[in-house]
Amino acid sequence: MSTDIEQFVEARLVSATPRMPSIPATLHYDRRDPFAVRMAFPAPATLEGVDVCWLFARDLLAAGLREPEGDGDVRVRPYGFDRTVLEFHAPEGTAVVHVRSGEIQRFLEATSELVPLGLEHLQFDLDHDLAELMRDAC
Protein backbone atom coordinates (compact mmCIF):
# COMPACT_ATOMS: atom_id res chain seq x y z
CA MET A 1 0.00 0.00 0.00
CA SER A 2 1.29 3.45 -0.91
CA THR A 3 2.38 5.72 1.91
CA ASP A 4 1.99 8.99 0.03
CA ILE A 5 -0.11 10.90 -2.47
CA GLU A 6 1.11 13.50 -4.92
CA GLN A 7 -1.14 15.61 -7.11
CA PHE A 8 -0.20 18.29 -9.60
CA VAL A 9 -2.44 21.37 -9.58
CA GLU A 10 -2.65 24.51 -11.66
CA ALA A 11 -2.25 27.57 -9.48
CA ARG A 12 -2.88 31.10 -10.63
CA LEU A 13 -0.56 33.67 -9.11
CA VAL A 14 -2.37 36.85 -8.06
CA SER A 15 -0.26 39.81 -9.18
CA ALA A 16 -0.53 43.39 -10.30
CA THR A 17 -0.80 42.37 -13.95
CA PRO A 18 -4.31 42.00 -15.41
CA ARG A 19 -3.84 38.32 -16.30
CA MET A 20 -2.92 35.98 -13.50
CA PRO A 21 -0.08 33.74 -14.70
CA SER A 22 -0.56 30.01 -14.28
CA ILE A 23 2.15 28.25 -12.30
CA PRO A 24 2.60 24.55 -11.68
CA ALA A 25 2.34 23.35 -8.12
CA THR A 26 2.32 19.98 -6.40
CA LEU A 27 0.30 18.93 -3.38
CA HIS A 28 1.92 16.11 -1.43
CA TYR A 29 0.71 14.01 1.51
CA ASP A 30 2.67 11.33 3.35
CA ARG A 31 1.00 9.08 5.92
CA ARG A 32 4.26 9.11 7.93
CA ASP A 33 3.48 12.78 8.68
CA PRO A 34 -0.31 12.38 8.79
CA PHE A 35 -1.29 15.86 9.94
CA ALA A 36 0.65 17.74 7.25
CA VAL A 37 0.36 18.66 3.59
CA ARG A 38 3.18 20.05 1.45
CA MET A 39 2.66 22.40 -1.46
CA ALA A 40 5.68 22.78 -3.70
CA PHE A 41 6.43 25.33 -6.39
CA PRO A 42 9.26 24.77 -8.90
CA ALA A 43 12.15 27.22 -9.23
CA PRO A 44 10.89 28.96 -12.41
CA ALA A 45 7.67 29.90 -10.56
CA THR A 46 9.42 31.66 -7.66
CA LEU A 47 11.03 35.07 -7.34
CA GLU A 48 14.22 33.60 -5.90
CA GLY A 49 14.58 31.04 -8.69
CA VAL A 50 14.71 28.11 -6.26
CA ASP A 51 12.21 25.38 -5.42
CA VAL A 52 9.89 26.46 -2.63
CA CYS A 53 7.91 24.10 -0.42
CA TRP A 54 5.32 25.07 2.18
CA LEU A 55 4.25 22.70 4.95
CA PHE A 56 0.89 23.22 6.65
CA ALA A 57 -1.94 21.32 8.33
CA ARG A 58 -4.21 19.11 6.24
CA ASP A 59 -7.20 20.23 8.30
CA LEU A 60 -6.34 23.88 7.50
CA LEU A 61 -6.63 23.06 3.80
CA ALA A 62 -9.90 21.18 4.32
CA ALA A 63 -11.49 23.88 6.48
CA GLY A 64 -10.34 26.64 4.12
CA LEU A 65 -12.49 25.19 1.34
CA ARG A 66 -15.58 26.24 3.34
CA GLU A 67 -14.55 29.41 5.18
CA PRO A 68 -11.47 31.56 5.80
CA GLU A 69 -8.93 29.71 7.95
CA GLY A 70 -5.45 30.39 9.27
CA ASP A 71 -3.81 33.29 10.99
CA GLY A 72 -0.17 32.37 10.50
CA ASP A 73 2.14 31.90 7.56
CA VAL A 74 -0.48 30.01 5.52
CA ARG A 75 -4.07 31.15 5.10
CA VAL A 76 -6.79 29.48 3.04
CA ARG A 77 -10.22 30.74 1.99
CA PRO A 78 -12.89 30.04 -0.59
CA TYR A 79 -13.17 32.41 -3.53
CA GLY A 80 -16.25 32.47 -5.74
CA PHE A 81 -17.92 29.22 -6.71
CA ASP A 82 -14.96 27.13 -7.76
CA ARG A 83 -11.71 28.62 -6.47
CA THR A 84 -9.73 28.51 -3.27
CA VAL A 85 -7.19 31.15 -2.32
CA LEU A 86 -3.98 30.17 -0.55
CA GLU A 87 -1.84 32.93 0.94
CA PHE A 88 1.78 32.23 1.84
CA HIS A 89 3.34 34.83 4.16
CA ALA A 90 7.13 35.06 4.51
CA PRO A 91 9.53 37.81 5.59
CA GLU A 92 10.30 38.42 1.89
CA GLY A 93 6.65 39.04 1.06
CA THR A 94 3.32 37.37 0.44
CA ALA A 95 2.34 35.09 -2.43
CA VAL A 96 -1.34 34.60 -3.19
CA VAL A 97 -2.50 31.82 -5.49
CA HIS A 98 -5.89 30.61 -6.69
CA VAL A 99 -6.46 26.87 -7.14
CA ARG A 100 -9.60 25.16 -8.40
CA SER A 101 -11.48 23.94 -5.34
CA GLY A 102 -12.29 20.67 -7.11
CA GLU A 103 -8.59 19.88 -7.45
CA ILE A 104 -8.06 20.44 -3.73
CA GLN A 105 -11.16 18.42 -2.88
CA ARG A 106 -9.95 15.46 -5.00
CA PHE A 107 -6.57 15.63 -3.28
CA LEU A 108 -8.17 15.68 0.17
CA GLU A 109 -10.44 12.75 -0.72
CA ALA A 110 -7.41 10.74 -1.78
CA THR A 111 -5.59 11.59 1.45
CA SER A 112 -8.67 10.61 3.45
CA GLU A 113 -8.72 7.20 1.77
CA LEU A 114 -5.14 6.74 2.91
CA VAL A 115 -5.65 8.23 6.40
CA PRO A 116 -9.18 9.33 7.39
CA LEU A 117 -9.48 12.84 8.83
CA GLY A 118 -9.58 12.64 12.61
CA LEU A 119 -7.68 9.33 12.71
CA GLU A 120 -4.21 10.68 11.98
CA HIS A 121 -3.01 9.78 15.48
CA LEU A 122 -3.42 6.08 14.66
CA GLN A 123 -0.48 6.35 12.26
CA PHE A 124 1.93 6.68 15.16
CA ASP A 125 3.37 3.77 17.11
CA LEU A 126 3.92 5.62 20.37
CA ASP A 127 5.42 2.62 22.17
CA HIS A 128 7.99 2.18 19.41
CA ASP A 129 8.75 5.91 19.23
CA LEU A 130 9.15 6.15 23.00
CA ALA A 131 11.45 3.12 23.02
CA GLU A 132 13.58 4.78 20.31
CA LEU A 133 13.80 7.98 22.34
CA MET A 134 14.79 6.08 25.48
CA ARG A 135 17.40 4.09 23.59
CA ASP A 136 18.92 7.26 22.17
CA ALA A 137 18.97 8.89 25.63
CA CYS A 138 21.13 6.15 27.15
Side-chain angles (χ1 to χ4, degrees):
M1 176 184 233
S2 177
T3 63
D4 63 343
I5 294 169
E6 190 169 85
Q7 179 179 318
F8 297 99
V9 295
E10 179 182 325
R12 297 237 177 232
L13 181 63
V14 177
S15 65
T17 60
R19 169 117 170 90
M20 292 188 295
S22 179
I23 57 173
T26 305
L27 289 168
H28 187 264
Y29 179 78
D30 188 330
R31 75 182 314 160
R32 293 170 294 190
D33 191 4
F35 291 100
V37 167
R38 284 185 290 145
M39 188 166 192
F41 299 93
T46 68
L47 292 175
E48 297 82 18
V50 297
D51 292 347
V52 173
C53 183
W54 287 85
L55 182 70
F56 51 95
R58 176 171 67 155
D59 62 353
L60 171 70
L61 187 60
L65 286 172
R66 296 181 303 278
E67 61 186 13
E69 288 291 330
D71 57 7
D73 294 342
V74 179
R75 301 171 192 176
V76 183
R77 69 178 184 277
Y79 182 78
F81 294 108
D82 66 342
R83 299 276 180 186
T84 299
V85 173
L86 292 99
E87 294 180 15
F88 302 98
H89 297 262
E92 301 81 18
T94 300
V96 179
V97 297
H98 289 191
V99 177
R100 287 187 187 94
S101 299
E103 290 185 90
I104 294 172
Q105 188 61 45
R106 278 189 299 281
F107 173 75
L108 290 170
E109 288 168 2
T111 69
S112 290
E113 288 177 16
L114 193 60
V115 177
L117 283 168
L119 299 179
E120 295 90 350
H121 65 283
L122 298 177
Q123 297 303 305
F124 298 111
D125 183 349
L126 295 180
D127 291 333
H128 175 266
D129 294 342
L130 184 57
E132 288 292 312
L133 283 172
M134 297 303 290
R135 184 181 57 117
D136 290 342
C138 294

